[in-house]
Amino acid sequence: MKRKITSEIIKNEKISDGIFSMWIRTDLHSEVKPGQFVGLYPANASTLLPRPISICESDNIQGAIRLVYRVVGKGTAEFSGMKPSDKVDVLGVLGNGYDLSTANNRKNITLMAGGIGIPPMLQLAKELSLSGHKTSIVVGYRNNETFLSEELSEYGKVFIATDYGSVGYKGNVIDALDAYKLSPDIIYACGPMPMLRGIKAYSTAHNVPAYISLEERMACGVGACLGCVCKTVNKDHHSHVNNARICTDGPVFNAAEVDI
Ligand SMILES: Cc1cc2nc3c(=O)[nH]c(=O)nc-3n(C[C@H](O)[C@H](O)[C@H](O)COP(=O)(O)OP(=O)(O)OC[C@H]3O[C@@H](n4cnc5c(N)ncnc54)[C@H](O)[C@@H]3O)c2cc1C
Ligand code: FES
């Protein structure tokens, strides 16, 4: 059940240029599905809304969750200045997450992510590995600051693409599939919208199911404001309109079912 909890920061450190990793002590850890997120509240009243951040890892031993975030504006800048033992309000657990049962009987499970879409792939890769699946993980970065790639390699085979070829394949993660001779039979993805559109097109062209996480702008994060609606292919049973709320119906959707 989702709730707002005041939690303690265990660790908050810079792991790459503009990218931070924060561990928060919270009993939400036991409820996490990969691909779910929390709303993290800035303390500053002028930045009132919770900022949606994906859960990168949950740790049942230390009773904590990990968030990895890029500083892009006021809220994330404030988070980057927080110190161990500071308190932060966390709303969670939010969203649907990836359905791991869709991986059953698949041989070429492929995780694809770019930039700040990479963090939720760590918990996903870990859980798929724990349930006995082998995965290929294709990750796209701007440059050689390949944050989380080593940790991901503990759970699957990592293939890197960078904008200018400073590490791995030069180009995007979709072209990298061919370059690395990967033939997914299911895709789990998270990243910027152009990348997700490319994955949807790939999924249609190759008849491969793809589950994509839409990390678009949000306001309330709990289904109340309709600030995060996306178009769907089919009509909603209740509202009879072609849309879904990303914060509650998503953020993970079957690519075939959303109009992006
Ligand atoms: C489900 C979900 C999961 C997310 N997971 C992560 C994560 O794991 N790590 C992470 O770093 N970020 C993640 N984001 C994006 C994150 O929520 C925003 O970067 C954050 O809210 C920005 O807050 P801010 O106050 O720093 O920036 P603001 O001052 O609100 O905005 C600064 C700039 O960032 C842009 N921006 C704000 N939100 C988004 C967004 N969702 N997508 C693209 N641009 C945006 C604004 O247009 C503006 O240009 C996620 C978003 C969603 C919806
Ligand atoms: S952010 Fe308010 S309904 Fe989704």
Side-chain angles (χ1 to χ4, degrees):
M1 203 187 68
K2 66 172 131 351
R3 56 206 191 276
K4 186 174 168 184
I5 304 179
T6 302
S7 306
E8 185 191 53
I9 293 172
I10 301 171
K11 200 173 180 185
N12 190 28
E13 59 179 354
K14 187 172 173 181
I15 56 168
S16 183
D17 189 21
I19 310 277
F20 289 76
S21 166
M22 179 189 279
W23 278 100
I24 303 173
R25 193 180 320 283
T26 165
D27 59 8
L28 295 173
H29 67 90
S30 57
E31 301 162 30
V32 172
K33 261 174 77 177
Q36 289 188 301
F37 62 102
V38 293
L40 202 63
Y41 285 84
N44 185 332
S46 68
T47 47
L48 206 58
L49 289 169
R51 297 321 196 244
I53 307 286
S54 295
I55 296 163
C56 171
E57 279 188 89
S58 64
D59 180 339
N60 293 334
I61 295 169
Q62 60 167 346
I65 59 170
R66 181 187 186 189
L67 311 177
V68 169
Y69 58 95
R70 172 174 281 145
V71 174
V72 294
K74 280 187 184 169
T76 45
E78 187 187 310
F79 301 148
S80 70
M82 290 178 166
K83 302 270 177 292
S85 82
D86 282 356
K87 298 283 190 285
V88 63
D89 284 340
V90 185
L91 177 67
V93 177
L94 305 177
N96 58 353
Y98 295 95
D99 176 0
L100 295 192
S101 70
T102 53
N104 293 343
N105 304 318
R106 302 283 177 176
K107 294 205 164 28
N108 296 315
I109 300 168
T110 305
L111 279 49
M112 298 177 73
I116 212 59
I118 294 168
M121 293 297 143
L122 188 55
Q123 183 68 21
L124 178 62
K126 193 193 283 186
E127 292 201 21
L128 285 168
S129 168
L130 284 172
S131 52
H133 295 291
K134 292 205 179 341
T135 56
S136 300
I137 307 168
V138 188
V139 274
Y141 298 92
R142 292 175 182 162
N143 52 35
N144 59 0
E145 303 242 0
T146 58
F147 59 92
L148 299 180
S149 61
E150 277 187 23
E151 288 168 80
L152 284 165
S153 67
E154 291 171 30
Y155 306 109
K157 192 153 180 10
V158 171
F159 301 88
I160 295 179
T162 50
D163 287 356
Y164 300 103
S166 47
V167 184
Y169 174 72
K170 178 184 174 187
N172 65 43
V173 292
I174 299 153
D175 294 339
L177 289 176
D178 270 352
Y180 287 119
K181 300 192 178 2
L182 299 173
S183 306
D185 59 7
I186 188 163
I187 294 172
Y188 301 104
C190 187
M193 192 53 87
M195 182 194 121
L196 298 181
R197 289 198 186 103
I199 289 173
K200 179 177 162 81
Y202 181 96
S203 135
T204 309
H206 294 80
N207 198 21
V208 171
Y211 294 88
I212 56 177
S213 180
L214 306 182
E215 296 198 338
E216 287 299 285
R217 292 219 70 164
M218 284 183 185
C220 70
V222 294
C225 71
L226 302 183
C228 65
V229 162
C230 73
K231 277 192 173 179
T232 54
V233 173
N234 297 317
K235 284 196 176 14
D236 179 88
H237 291 309
H238 300 292
S239 58
H240 304 291
V241 289
N242 291 67
N243 65 36
R245 286 165 297 183
I246 295 174
C247 65
T248 47
D249 302 318
V252 179
F253 292 92
N254 182 337
E257 291 170 5
V258 281
D259 189 1
I260 56 172

